[in-house]
Amino acid sequence: GESVGLHLPTLSVQEGDNSIINCAYSNSASDYFIWYKQESGKGPQFIIDIRSNMDKRQGQRVTVLLNKTVKHLSLQIAATQPGDSAVYFCAENMNNNDMRFGAGTRLTVKP
Amino acid sequence: NAGVTQTPKFQVLKTGQSMTLQCAQDMNHEYMSWYRQDPGMGLRLIHYSVGAGITDQGEVPNGYNVSRSTTEDFPLRLLSAAPSQTSVYFCASRSHGTQYFGPGTRLLVL
Protein backbone atom coordinates (compact mmCIF):
# COMPACT_ATOMS: atom_id res chain seq x y z
CA GLY A 1 0.00 0.00 0.00
CA GLU A 2 0.97 3.66 -0.20
CA SER A 3 1.40 6.43 2.30
CA VAL A 4 1.58 10.12 1.64
CA GLY A 5 5.17 11.00 0.73
CA LEU A 6 6.65 7.46 0.44
CA HIS A 7 8.05 5.58 -2.58
CA LEU A 8 5.83 4.27 -5.34
CA PRO A 9 4.77 0.69 -4.61
CA THR A 10 3.56 -1.69 -7.27
CA LEU A 11 0.78 -4.24 -7.48
CA SER A 12 0.53 -6.89 -10.15
CA VAL A 13 -2.69 -8.87 -10.62
CA GLN A 14 -4.10 -11.34 -13.11
CA GLU A 15 -6.90 -10.18 -15.38
CA GLY A 16 -10.23 -11.01 -13.79
CA ASP A 17 -8.93 -10.98 -10.22
CA ASN A 18 -9.88 -8.36 -7.67
CA SER A 19 -7.35 -5.64 -6.79
CA ILE A 20 -6.95 -3.88 -3.47
CA ILE A 21 -4.87 -0.73 -3.24
CA ASN A 22 -4.16 0.70 0.19
CA CYS A 23 -3.41 4.18 1.44
CA ALA A 24 -2.49 5.53 4.86
CA TYR A 25 -3.40 9.17 5.35
CA SER A 26 -1.83 11.61 7.77
CA ASN A 27 -4.43 13.99 9.18
CA SER A 28 -7.14 12.70 11.49
CA ALA A 29 -9.10 15.91 10.79
CA SER A 30 -9.29 15.25 7.03
CA ASP A 31 -12.94 15.06 6.03
CA TYR A 32 -12.89 14.08 2.39
CA PHE A 33 -10.93 11.54 0.39
CA ILE A 34 -10.59 10.85 -3.30
CA TRP A 35 -9.05 8.12 -5.42
CA TYR A 36 -7.55 9.08 -8.77
CA LYS A 37 -6.32 7.01 -11.69
CA GLN A 38 -3.44 8.27 -13.80
CA GLU A 39 -2.55 6.65 -17.10
CA SER A 40 0.84 7.22 -18.66
CA GLY A 41 1.21 10.71 -20.11
CA LYS A 42 -2.16 11.91 -18.82
CA GLY A 43 -3.48 13.90 -15.90
CA PRO A 44 -5.11 12.21 -12.90
CA GLN A 45 -8.72 11.18 -13.40
CA PHE A 46 -11.33 11.07 -10.62
CA ILE A 47 -12.51 7.56 -9.75
CA ILE A 48 -14.46 7.72 -6.51
CA ASP A 49 -14.67 9.78 -3.35
CA ILE A 50 -15.82 9.31 0.22
CA ARG A 51 -16.60 11.67 3.08
CA SER A 52 -15.44 11.04 6.62
CA ASN A 53 -18.97 10.34 7.84
CA MET A 54 -19.03 7.17 5.73
CA ASP A 55 -16.96 3.98 5.90
CA LYS A 56 -17.81 2.51 2.51
CA ARG A 57 -18.85 3.75 -0.90
CA GLN A 58 -19.40 1.77 -4.06
CA GLY A 59 -19.17 2.73 -7.69
CA GLN A 60 -19.06 0.77 -10.87
CA ARG A 61 -16.58 -2.08 -10.17
CA VAL A 62 -14.88 0.05 -7.52
CA THR A 63 -15.37 0.28 -3.76
CA VAL A 64 -13.65 2.63 -1.36
CA LEU A 65 -13.33 1.72 2.31
CA LEU A 66 -12.42 4.21 5.01
CA ASN A 67 -11.14 3.27 8.45
CA LYS A 68 -10.78 6.46 10.46
CA THR A 69 -9.55 4.63 13.54
CA VAL A 70 -6.29 3.68 11.83
CA LYS A 71 -6.38 6.42 9.18
CA HIS A 72 -6.54 3.94 6.34
CA LEU A 73 -8.20 4.09 2.95
CA SER A 74 -8.48 1.34 0.37
CA LEU A 75 -9.66 1.04 -3.21
CA GLN A 76 -11.04 -2.27 -4.38
CA ILE A 77 -11.38 -2.95 -8.09
CA ALA A 78 -13.51 -5.94 -9.03
CA ALA A 79 -12.72 -8.13 -12.03
CA THR A 80 -9.61 -6.14 -12.91
CA GLN A 81 -9.13 -5.51 -16.63
CA PRO A 82 -6.03 -4.57 -18.66
CA GLY A 83 -7.46 -1.07 -19.03
CA ASP A 84 -7.20 -0.68 -15.26
CA SER A 85 -3.40 -0.67 -15.49
CA ALA A 86 -2.33 2.76 -14.23
CA VAL A 87 -1.01 4.60 -11.20
CA TYR A 88 -3.62 5.10 -8.49
CA PHE A 89 -3.44 7.98 -6.02
CA CYS A 90 -5.34 8.64 -2.87
CA ALA A 91 -5.83 12.23 -1.78
CA GLU A 92 -7.01 13.68 1.51
CA ASN A 93 -8.69 17.02 1.92
CA MET A 94 -6.77 18.71 4.76
CA ASN A 95 -9.12 21.68 4.68
CA ASN A 96 -11.25 23.26 2.00
CA ASN A 97 -8.30 24.43 -0.05
CA ASP A 98 -5.49 22.02 0.65
CA MET A 99 -5.60 18.55 -0.84
CA ARG A 100 -2.61 16.27 -0.23
CA PHE A 101 -1.81 13.37 -2.50
CA GLY A 102 -0.08 10.11 -1.80
CA ALA A 103 2.85 9.01 -3.96
CA GLY A 104 0.68 6.49 -5.82
CA THR A 105 0.57 2.75 -6.46
CA ARG A 106 1.31 1.32 -9.90
CA LEU A 107 -1.20 -1.38 -10.84
CA THR A 108 -0.24 -3.80 -13.60
CA VAL A 109 -2.83 -6.21 -14.94
CA LYS A 110 -1.47 -9.35 -16.59
CA PRO A 111 -3.62 -10.85 -19.35
CA ASN B 1 -16.71 21.40 -22.96
CA ALA B 2 -12.95 21.20 -23.41
CA GLY B 3 -12.47 20.83 -19.66
CA VAL B 4 -9.04 21.91 -18.41
CA THR B 5 -6.48 22.74 -21.08
CA GLN B 6 -2.77 23.41 -20.65
CA THR B 7 -0.09 24.78 -22.94
CA PRO B 8 2.60 24.00 -23.84
CA LYS B 9 2.73 20.21 -23.59
CA PHE B 10 6.50 20.21 -23.36
CA GLN B 11 9.12 22.91 -22.76
CA VAL B 12 12.89 23.05 -22.38
CA LEU B 13 14.38 26.05 -20.58
CA LYS B 14 17.86 27.14 -19.64
CA THR B 15 18.60 28.07 -16.05
CA GLY B 16 17.55 31.66 -15.41
CA GLN B 17 14.99 31.88 -18.23
CA SER B 18 11.41 32.82 -17.51
CA MET B 19 8.22 31.38 -18.88
CA THR B 20 4.49 31.14 -18.28
CA LEU B 21 2.54 27.92 -18.23
CA GLN B 22 -0.99 28.50 -19.42
CA CYS B 23 -4.11 26.93 -17.95
CA ALA B 24 -7.73 27.47 -18.91
CA GLN B 25 -11.04 25.85 -17.98
CA ASP B 26 -14.47 26.30 -19.48
CA MET B 27 -16.53 24.77 -16.66
CA ASN B 28 -16.98 28.04 -14.73
CA HIS B 29 -15.22 26.59 -11.69
CA GLU B 30 -14.18 29.06 -9.05
CA TYR B 31 -11.35 26.96 -7.61
CA MET B 32 -8.21 26.36 -9.66
CA SER B 33 -4.82 25.06 -8.66
CA TRP B 34 -1.35 24.15 -9.86
CA TYR B 35 0.52 20.99 -8.89
CA ARG B 36 3.90 19.60 -9.71
CA GLN B 37 4.52 15.88 -9.97
CA ASP B 38 7.92 14.40 -9.35
CA PRO B 39 8.87 10.68 -9.31
CA GLY B 40 7.97 9.06 -6.01
CA MET B 41 6.51 12.30 -4.62
CA GLY B 42 2.93 12.30 -5.83
CA LEU B 43 1.39 15.67 -6.63
CA ARG B 44 2.33 18.70 -4.58
CA LEU B 45 0.26 21.87 -4.50
CA ILE B 46 2.10 24.99 -5.70
CA HIS B 47 -0.56 27.73 -5.71
CA TYR B 48 -4.31 27.86 -5.78
CA SER B 49 -7.12 30.33 -6.35
CA VAL B 50 -10.63 30.32 -4.96
CA GLY B 51 -11.87 32.86 -7.47
CA ALA B 52 -10.91 35.70 -9.78
CA GLY B 53 -8.58 38.14 -8.06
CA ILE B 54 -7.73 35.73 -5.21
CA THR B 55 -4.64 33.53 -5.02
CA ASP B 56 -2.82 31.76 -2.23
CA GLN B 57 0.23 29.61 -1.66
CA GLY B 58 0.23 25.85 -1.46
CA GLU B 59 2.82 23.42 -0.19
CA VAL B 60 5.69 24.35 -2.56
CA PRO B 61 5.21 27.96 -3.78
CA ASN B 62 8.82 29.17 -3.94
CA GLY B 63 9.98 30.12 -7.42
CA TYR B 64 6.46 30.39 -8.83
CA ASN B 65 3.97 33.23 -9.26
CA VAL B 66 0.32 33.11 -10.22
CA SER B 67 -2.47 35.52 -11.04
CA ARG B 68 -6.18 35.08 -11.60
CA SER B 69 -7.66 37.94 -13.58
CA THR B 70 -10.55 35.87 -14.97
CA THR B 71 -12.47 32.79 -13.84
CA GLU B 72 -11.25 30.87 -16.89
CA ASP B 73 -7.49 31.41 -16.78
CA PHE B 74 -4.85 30.64 -14.17
CA PRO B 75 -1.31 31.06 -15.54
CA LEU B 76 1.76 29.89 -13.63
CA ARG B 77 4.94 31.94 -14.01
CA LEU B 78 8.52 30.90 -13.46
CA LEU B 79 10.54 34.12 -13.20
CA SER B 80 14.01 32.50 -13.16
CA ALA B 81 13.93 28.79 -13.90
CA ALA B 82 16.13 26.41 -11.91
CA PRO B 83 16.96 22.74 -12.58
CA SER B 84 15.00 21.85 -9.42
CA GLN B 85 11.87 23.00 -11.26
CA THR B 86 12.20 20.19 -13.79
CA SER B 87 8.90 18.38 -13.32
CA VAL B 88 5.50 17.70 -14.79
CA TYR B 89 3.01 20.44 -13.99
CA PHE B 90 -0.71 19.87 -13.72
CA CYS B 91 -3.42 22.47 -13.55
CA ALA B 92 -6.76 21.54 -12.03
CA SER B 93 -10.15 23.10 -11.44
CA ARG B 94 -12.59 21.95 -8.83
CA SER B 95 -16.30 21.68 -8.33
CA HIS B 96 -17.84 20.29 -5.14
CA GLY B 97 -14.60 18.61 -4.15
CA THR B 98 -13.98 16.80 -7.43
CA GLN B 99 -10.87 18.03 -9.18
CA TYR B 100 -10.53 17.94 -12.95
CA PHE B 101 -6.95 17.86 -14.16
CA GLY B 102 -5.42 19.10 -17.36
CA PRO B 103 -3.12 16.91 -19.48
CA GLY B 104 0.04 18.36 -17.96
CA THR B 105 3.11 20.31 -19.07
CA ARG B 106 6.45 18.54 -18.99
CA LEU B 107 9.20 21.05 -18.15
CA LEU B 108 12.91 20.41 -18.40
CA VAL B 109 15.31 23.03 -17.02
CA LEU B 110 18.91 22.62 -18.10
Side-chain angles (χ1 to χ4, degrees), chain A residues 52-104:
Chain A
S52 59
N53 61 352
M54 303 170 68
D55 54 20
K56 180 180 179 179
R57 189 153 190 240
Q58 287 183 291
Q60 187 178 13
R61 282 202 306 119
V62 294
T63 301
V64 55
L65 298 178
L66 175 63
N67 186 332
K68 294 183 287 294
T69 303
V70 295
K71 292 189 285 186
H72 183 268
L73 196 66
S74 69
L75 176 70
Q76 300 177 1
I77 305 173
T80 315
Q81 303 168 359
D84 294 326
S85 292
V87 176
Y88 290 81
F89 295 94
C90 68
E92 60 178 308
N93 189 50
M94 309 280 279
N95 57 49
N96 263 348
N97 296 318
D98 188 1
M99 184 153 280
R100 298 293 173 100
F101 287 76

Side-chain angles (χ1 to χ4, degrees), chain A residues 3 16 25 32 74 79 98:
Chain A
S3 295
Y25 62 93
Y32 181 61
S74 69
D98 188 1

Side-chain angles (χ1 to χ4, degrees), chain A residues 12-85:
Chain A
S12 183
V13 301
Q14 205 69 37
E15 181 179 359
D17 287 352
N18 296 335
S19 303
I20 300 176
I21 300 170
N22 297 303
C23 175
Y25 62 93
S26 60
N27 188 349
S28 56
S30 293
D31 60 356
Y32 181 61
F33 305 87
I34 304 177
W35 279 101
Y36 288 91
K37 173 185 180 182
Q38 186 176 25
E39 296 173 286
S40 181
K42 297 182 179 179
Q45 180 183 8
F46 171 90
I47 302 174
I48 191 167
D49 60 359
I50 189 168
R51 298 210 172 269
S52 59
N53 61 352
M54 303 170 68
D55 54 20
K56 180 180 179 179
R57 189 153 190 240
Q58 287 183 291
Q60 187 178 13
R61 282 202 306 119
V62 294
T63 301
V64 55
L65 298 178
L66 175 63
N67 186 332
K68 294 183 287 294
T69 303
V70 295
K71 292 189 285 186
H72 183 268
L73 196 66
S74 69
L75 176 70
Q76 300 177 1
I77 305 173
T80 315
Q81 303 168 359
D84 294 326
S85 292

Side-chain angles (χ1 to χ4, degrees), chain B residues 60-74:
Chain B
V60 288
N62 293 342
Y64 308 95
N65 284 345
V66 291
S67 59
R68 186 90 180 273
S69 55
T70 66
T71 299
E72 293 78 20
D73 300 297
F74 191 43

Side-chain angles (χ1 to χ4, degrees), chain B residues 86-98:
Chain B
T86 292
S87 189
V88 181
Y89 292 85
F90 288 100
C91 178
S93 71
R94 192 170 84 185
S95 172
H96 303 296
T98 303

